[in-house]
């Protein structure tokens, strides 16, 4: 009996030792400088010097642990409330904040070695991370989970991203291979650069169902971009169905810039008006918003597939949030992504700023459509902090949206309305909608405060699109 108890005790000790070793093994990461970081306990005071790090830390459910962010970060909205730090600051500023972890990326470790060394010499852990391929993205999220004690949340991020990809892949699978669009994806216009074939951006393009015409591009060492050159771009002139431009800090090209580039008029996409701009913040950063970037590219390539509003048409009373989504999709409006921090904070106080709405979930799906329509002025005056996403859209607000967005023909006939007076601030918008037959007003009753069903909204927007198209010839 005594011998049996001793064996059981030794076995239990062995199990505990093995479990401890396994746990320790999961708490070691190797960053991109080759440094071995042992995480004895989760870091609790973190300064992030890369926007993707910050965004992912928030996705892991952190907030109070983030005590500083890099300049110009603006998403999620909570980022705007955080103190700003930069590798150009004196190290004393960092020391005064007492961080236990500073997250950087290779650009900083290579460009500012003295700054990084000073932080390390002060006893602060510095970790350099930046994935270059989609496969590395998953490991990167898991490493952030280990550093912060949020391993389970990191796995949730991986699963959420995978589920989003499955949804997009299912739609792309319905597009015949022979119908797939061939795309040139520009990363830098002045140097005629594209992206490396293994880059996150090209993964986004291919997942969206696009075919990369520059698969033979060779990446610039240590980066996700690739030299291509104007001559090689023009050699694909007849093959490029869509010319896609990444817009961001390193590339300020626009549709007009591409159109006016000498020699580009021979490119098929330019001739057919298929030039589209996508924000680098959603196609080049390793965050969950990469799903938004893939979706946005897919909308450019296959609007009939990715702007489907069938579920919304079943709504008995279309909510304001649902209206924003339907309007964006049916009008194929590019989604608004947050401006940089400086742009947001220095706008007039009278304007809506990204993230102002306290009743909008900025971790959900609806916010991107809401912010897009608000940014474009499609909704009339709003309370600064409330959007009321669940309220029904009114016929008055609907008329206003049509008037603001679409280039509609002039109404030449008289319009008589019993319940909308000429003194109504939206009288002209309502008169136009009724006069063009976009919104019905039987017996002269417009019912400005009445709700609209999903099917009614679909028919109204369809009529507005037709009217604007006919005016444009």
């Amino acid at each position: 009996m005594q011998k049996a108890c001793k064996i059981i005790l030794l076995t239990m000790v062995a199990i505990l030792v093995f479990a401890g070793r396994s746990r320790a093994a999961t708490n070691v990461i190797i960053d991109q400088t080759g440094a071995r970081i042992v995480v004895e306990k989760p870091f609790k005071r973190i300064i992030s010097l890369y926007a993707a790090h910050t965004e992912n830390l928030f996705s892991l459910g952190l907030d109070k642990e983030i005590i500083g962010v890099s300049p110009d970060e603006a998403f999620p909205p909570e980022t705007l409330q955080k103190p700003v730090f930069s590798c150009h600051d004196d190290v004393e500023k960092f020391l005064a904040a007492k961080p236990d972890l500073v997250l950087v990326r290779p650009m900083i470790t290579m460009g500012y070695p003295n700054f990084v060394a000073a932080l390390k010499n002060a006893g602060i852990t510095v970790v350099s991370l930046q994935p270059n391929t989609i496969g590395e993205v998953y490991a990167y999220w898991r490493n952030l989970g280990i550093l912060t004690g949020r391993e389970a949340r990191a796995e949730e991020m991986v699963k959420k991203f995978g589920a989003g990809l499955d949804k997009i892949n299912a739609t792309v699978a319905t597009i015949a291979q022979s119908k797939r669009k061939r795309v040139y994806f520009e990363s830098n216009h002045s140097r005629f650069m594209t992206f490396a074939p293994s880059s996150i951006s090209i993964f986004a393009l291919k997942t969206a169902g696009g075919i990369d015409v520059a698969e033979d591009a060779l990446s610039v060492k240590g980066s996700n971009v690739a030299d291509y050159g104007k001559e090689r771009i023009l050699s694909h002139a007849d093959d490029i169905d869509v010319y896609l431009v990444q817009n961001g800090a390193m590339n300020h090209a626009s549709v007009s810039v591409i159109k006016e580039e000498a020699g580009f008029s021979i490119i098929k996409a330019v001739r057919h008006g298929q030039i589209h701009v996508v924000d680098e913040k959603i196609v080049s950063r390793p965050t969950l918003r990469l799903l938004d970037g893939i979706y946005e590219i897919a909308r450019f390539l296959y609007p009939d597939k990715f702007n489907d509003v069938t579920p919304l048409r079943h709504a008995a009373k279309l909510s304001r949030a649902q209206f924003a989504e339907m309007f964006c999709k049916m009008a194929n409006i590019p989604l608004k992504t947050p401006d940089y921090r400086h742009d947001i904070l220095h706008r007039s106080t009278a304007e809506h700023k990204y993230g102002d709405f306290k009743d909008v979930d900025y971790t959900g799906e609806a916010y991107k459509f809401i912010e897009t329509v608000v940014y474009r002025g499609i909704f009339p005056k709003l309370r600064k902090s409330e959007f009321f996403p669940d309220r029904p859209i009114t016929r008055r607000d609907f008329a206003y949206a049509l008037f603001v967005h679409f280039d509609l023909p002039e109404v030449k006939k008289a319009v008589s309305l019993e319940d909308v007076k000429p003194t109504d601030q939206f009288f002209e918008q309502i008169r136009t909608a009724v006069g063009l037959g976009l919104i019905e007003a039987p017996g002269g009753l417009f019912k400005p405060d009445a709700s609209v069903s999903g099917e009614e909204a679909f028919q109204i927007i369809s009529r507005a699109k037709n009217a604007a198209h006919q005016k444009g010839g």
Side-chain angles (χ1 to χ4, degrees), residues 60-122:
L60 288 171
L62 303 166
D63 186 348
K64 64 180 181 180
E65 292 86 351
I66 305 168
I67 64 169
V69 300
S70 64
D72 270 343
E73 294 188 36
F75 188 87
E78 293 87 347
T79 303
L80 297 170
Q81 309 304 318
K82 299 294 182 179
V84 174
F85 290 81
S86 164
C87 54
H88 299 289
D89 294 333
D90 290 335
V91 172
E92 285 73 19
K93 179 179 178 179
F94 285 78
L95 300 183
K98 299 181 180 179
D100 54 9
L101 173 66
V102 174
L103 285 171
V104 300
R105 55 175 170 162
M107 183 180 74
I108 292 177
T109 54
M110 292 187 291
Y112 303 90
N114 294 335
F115 163 76
V116 173
L119 293 177
K120 289 182 176 180
N121 290 337

Side-chain angles (χ1 to χ4, degrees), residues 6 12 31 96 152 167 183 274 277 305 309 349 367 383 409 454:
K6 187 175 182 179
M12 290 178 65
D31 80 355
K167 185 177 179 180
V183 184
Q274 289 298 308
V277 179
K305 293 285 187 179
V309 295
T349 55
Y367 81 88
R383 293 185 186 180

Side-chain angles (χ1 to χ4, degrees), residues 188-230:
N188 184 287
H189 187 71
S190 62
R191 296 173 60 186
F192 300 106
M193 300 180 77
T194 183
F195 293 95
S198 62
S199 67
I200 292 171
S201 299
I202 294 300
F203 169 81
L205 170 63
K206 290 184 175 180
T207 304
I211 299 172
D212 179 21
V213 301
E215 282 194 315
D216 55 339
L218 298 176
S219 62
V220 176
K221 188 176 180 180
S223 78
N224 278 321
V225 297
D227 288 315
Y228 210 63
K230 188 172 186 177

Side-chain angles (χ1 to χ4, degrees), residues 296-370:
E296 187 72 338
I297 294 173
R299 290 179 71 216
F300 293 148
L301 302 186
Y302 313 105
D304 291 345
K305 293 285 187 179
F306 284 90
N307 282 330
D308 180 37
V309 295
T310 301
L312 298 172
R313 294 176 67 175
H314 299 309
K317 291 183 179 181
L318 200 70
S319 72
R320 289 161 63 88
Q322 290 173 322
F323 171 78
E325 180 178 352
M326 178 179 276
F327 204 93
C328 283
K329 287 182 174 180
M330 290 189 68
N332 203 26
I333 302 173
L335 295 178
K336 171 67 178 169
T337 52
D339 294 311
Y340 291 103
R341 183 189 188 102
H342 178 275
D343 298 325
I344 291 177
L345 295 181
H346 286 75
R347 282 185 191 163
S348 165
T349 55
E351 290 185 54
H352 168 73
K353 296 174 184 176
Y354 201 97
D356 273 350
F357 295 133
K358 305 306 180 188
D359 55 359
V360 172
D361 178 10
Y362 285 89
T363 64
E365 290 292 317
Y367 81 88
K368 55 195 174 192
F369 299 109
I370 292 171

Side-chain angles (χ1 to χ4, degrees), residues 6 21 27 153 175 201 207-208 216 222 231 365 371 447 472:
K6 187 175 182 179
R21 287 176 179 172
N27 283 354
R153 288 294 291 266
I175 304 168
S201 299
T207 304
D216 55 339
E231 186 177 335
E365 290 292 317
E371 287 285 352
K447 300 180 181 178

